[in-house]
Amino acid sequence: MSNSAARISPPVDELDLSGVLVRTDYTDDGRFARLLAEARRPAGADGVGGANLLVVEDPRLAGITLEQIIELVDLEDFAFVADARSMVDSTLLVVDLFEQSDTYLATFRVIPEAALVIETTLVLANLDFAELLDVADPDGVFRETFGL
């Protein structure tokens, strides 16, 4: 990423249950499309919408670090990241971007079907990042969909 890259301030309103997904791996467009479709797929018997992700996608972002994501995206809460591992195991990285948090820059992975759970839980502050870390499986992947 060049030093001249502008910061991206996504139009994420606190009342708009939106998450930001930064794509940092461009090796498999088909896999990425499937991950995104799965995360956005309506959930539950009543077809409640899936994750409302704002995708930040540009091949120049390939391989950027978490620190560079912080510089790129002006967010105060969290972000999803589609990285190299995402293209292998179909999980998304979730990173804590809240600087006053005890878990600042901590990460865990989430299956795409559970992205909506992470998105709404963190936006509504039902649980904090540390509590979600505790719910993740021993392998660091959050798989709880709470029946969605």
Side-chain angles (χ1 to χ4, degrees), residues 130-145:
E131 291 167 313
L132 290 171
L133 276 168
D134 289 341
V135 176
D137 290 342
D139 64 355
V141 178
F142 185 95
R143 293 181 174 87
E144 182 59 61
T145 61

Side-chain angles (χ1 to χ4, degrees), residues 8-88:
I8 297 172
S9 296
V12 178
D13 184 287
E14 289 180 21
L15 299 177
D16 177 24
L17 301 181
S18 295
V20 173
L21 171 61
V22 180
R23 184 177 180 189
T24 65
D25 185 281
Y26 294 83
T27 59
D28 191 335
D29 290 340
R31 173 67 62 106
F32 177 73
R34 288 188 296 278
L35 283 168
L36 188 56
E38 189 63 37
R40 288 179 168 167
R41 179 173 293 125
D46 57 359
V48 173
N52 185 21
L53 298 172
L54 173 69
V55 178
V56 178
E57 186 175 21
D58 185 321
R60 293 175 294 178
L61 302 177
I64 66 171
T65 66
L66 291 181
E67 290 76 17
Q68 289 170 308
I69 289 172
I70 293 165
E71 292 302 314
L72 176 72
V73 181
D74 188 16
L75 294 174
E76 296 179 0
D77 297 328
F78 68 98
F80 294 99
V81 179
D83 59 5
R85 181 171 162 188
S86 300
M87 300 308 137
V88 175

Side-chain angles (χ1 to χ4, degrees), residues 63-138:
I64 66 171
T65 66
L66 291 181
E67 290 76 17
Q68 289 170 308
I69 289 172
I70 293 165
E71 292 302 314
L72 176 72
V73 181
D74 188 16
L75 294 174
E76 296 179 0
D77 297 328
F78 68 98
F80 294 99
V81 179
D83 59 5
R85 181 171 162 188
S86 300
M87 300 308 137
V88 175
D89 70 3
S90 297
T91 62
L92 297 170
L93 186 67
V94 185
V95 59
D96 184 357
L97 298 177
F98 186 58
E99 290 182 0
Q100 286 75 42
S101 169
D102 291 338
T103 55
Y104 180 60
L105 294 183
T107 63
F108 62 88
R109 302 199 75 85
V110 63
I111 60 171
E113 301 89 342
L116 175 64
V117 172
I118 300 302
E119 183 178 68
T120 56
T121 299
L122 289 175
V123 169
L124 296 175
N126 292 336
L127 298 173
D128 64 20
F129 203 90
E131 291 167 313
L132 290 171
L133 276 168
D134 289 341
V135 176
D137 290 342

